Amino acid sequence: MKHLSIVLLAMAMLIAIPAKAQENKMENLQKVKDYLTECRVFYVATADGDQPRVRPFGVAEIYNGRLYIMTGKSKKVFKQMTANPKFEIVALKPSGTEWIRISGKLVCDDEVATKEYLLDKNPGLKGMYSATDNNMAALYIIEGTATLSSFAAPEETINF
């Protein structure tokens, strides 16, 4: 009976570990998204050949356990993201003393439901895009690392 209890306990722990990891991932995603929301504008860096390019963005949303940004497929930035999915984001909080840097890779999601969700959360963009226009690009981050920095506190690194 004692061995059965140990086996059952071990099995319960194996089930709980992935659930806890998923919970931590969602907490990390939310923390990064909330940080970007507080900053309001964030800057996305891409590469155009050997030339860096940086542009302001404003949409960051969580959908289906992923952190998304969006742009237009007709824009140069989308072509750069497609050619080289590695990117960096930087944003500064209004205080001017705290900032975030995010790196990873971007993956395009052409699901209409994803685009509808992003547009519903950002209705001001419905004049520019529609979920079925073949122009809107919903991109989610994989292999994401965020570094939260401050002049007054140690750096914090978040993987998501």
Side-chain angles (χ1 to χ4, degrees):
M1 205 55 164
K2 184 177 180 182
H3 294 293
L4 180 60
S5 296
I6 292 171
V7 169
L8 291 174
L9 178 62
M11 288 174 62
M13 289 175 63
L14 288 174
I15 292 168
I17 291 170
K20 184 65 176 167
Q22 182 64 21
E23 182 181 308
N24 288 343
K25 179 184 176 191
M26 289 307 297
E27 289 173 5
N28 288 346
L29 281 173
Q30 192 64 51
K31 187 171 187 173
V32 171
K33 190 256 187 213
D34 290 346
Y35 204 108
L36 291 174
T37 300
E38 184 178 346
C39 293
R40 299 189 63 201
V41 175
F42 53 93
Y43 297 87
V44 179
T46 59
D48 185 7
D50 66 349
Q51 180 64 45
R53 303 286 182 199
V54 182
R55 296 158 187 84
F57 277 63
V59 172
E61 298 292 347
I62 296 172
Y63 181 67
N64 285 340
R66 297 172 173 157
L67 182 60
Y68 282 84
I69 63 173
M70 59 185 281
T71 190
K73 290 183 179 179
S74 62
K75 295 181 178 181
K76 290 179 183 178
V77 67
F78 179 74
K79 291 170 183 48
Q80 293 158 13
M81 292 170 171
T82 302
N84 180 357
K86 293 180 180 178
F87 74 96
E88 289 223 356
I89 287 174
V90 67
L92 181 68
K93 282 192 175 181
S95 68
T97 61
E98 299 171 82
W99 62 96
I100 188 171
R101 288 182 309 123
I102 304 168
S103 63
K105 294 179 183 176
L106 294 167
V107 177
C108 190
D109 180 347
D110 280 323
E111 292 294 320
V112 172
T114 302
K115 294 176 182 183
E116 286 173 345
Y117 178 85
L118 293 173
L119 289 171
D120 286 345
K121 292 295 237 173
N122 299 276
L125 295 175
K126 288 183 177 181
M128 291 176 59
Y129 303 110
S130 82
T132 58
D133 69 6
N134 254 356
N135 181 38
M136 182 182 165
L139 301 124
Y140 63 90
I141 298 170
I142 62 170
E143 301 172 21
T145 299
T147 304
L148 284 60
S149 300
S150 167
F151 290 125
E155 284 189 345
E156 177 185 356
T157 301
I158 299 172
N159 294 305
F160 60 97

